[in-house]
């Protein structure tokens, strides 16, 4: 005989600290290491060439990562002359700060 038990209130939350076994790696697990790094670098605002240099990839690859983050509404990009400037959206800022590395 099986008796189904309904989950209690807050069943989806883990005990305090259980979700972040290694601080800061949850964001990398969610987005992938390069996209997490991309989000962190964009926090201060940068153009695509700076982004590529900071995360160690080619400009086309950096542009692709930025496009995915933009489609997810984590960053916003505006064109300034012949460059595209990337900044975090409030959603991106919230995600980044929620999963900030703890030293």
């Amino acid at each position: 005989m099986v008796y189904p038990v309904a989950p209690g209130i807050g069943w989806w939350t883990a005990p305090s600290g259980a979700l972040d076994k290694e601080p800061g790696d949850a964001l990398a697990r969610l987005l992938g290491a390069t996209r997490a790094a991309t989000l962190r670098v964009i926090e201060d605002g940068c153009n695509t060439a700076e982004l590529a240099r900071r995360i160690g990839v080619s400009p086309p690859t950096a542009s692709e990562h930025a496009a995915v983050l933009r489609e997810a509404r984590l960053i916003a990009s505006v064109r300034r002359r012949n460059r595209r400037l990337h900044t975090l959206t409030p959603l991106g800022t919230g995600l980044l700060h929620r999963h900030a590395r703890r030293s």
Side-chain angles (χ1 to χ4, degrees), residues 7-31:
I9 295 174
W11 64 269
W12 60 89
T13 60
S16 179
L19 293 178
D20 292 328
K21 293 179 183 173
E22 293 181 32
D25 71 347
L27 188 61
R29 287 194 309 267
L30 176 66
L31 300 176

Side-chain angles (χ1 to χ4, degrees), residues 17 20 36 44-45 53 62-63 66-67 75 82-83 88 92-93:
D20 292 328
D44 297 325
R53 187 172 50 255
S63 181
I75 69 166
N82 63 344
R83 295 184 177 186
L88 293 181
T93 300

Side-chain angles (χ1 to χ4, degrees), residues 9 13 19 28 51 57 60-61 64 67 70 82 84 99:
I9 295 174
T13 60
L19 293 178
L51 174 61
V57 298
T61 300
E64 180 64 29
R70 189 171 41 255
N82 63 344
R84 187 172 280 232
H99 294 286

Side-chain angles (χ1 to χ4, degrees), residues 11-79:
W11 64 269
W12 60 89
T13 60
S16 179
L19 293 178
D20 292 328
K21 293 179 183 173
E22 293 181 32
D25 71 347
L27 188 61
R29 287 194 309 267
L30 176 66
L31 300 176
T34 305
R35 288 221 173 100
T38 301
L39 195 63
R40 288 184 186 105
V41 166
I42 291 175
E43 181 174 22
D44 297 325
C46 64
N47 64 43
T48 305
E50 291 169 340
L51 174 61
R53 187 172 50 255
R54 291 178 186 178
I55 62 173
V57 298
S58 68
T61 300
S63 181
E64 180 64 29
H65 286 302
V68 170
L69 294 173
R70 189 171 41 255
E71 288 171 11
R73 298 180 185 203
L74 297 175
I75 69 166
S77 302
V78 294
R79 205 167 261 297

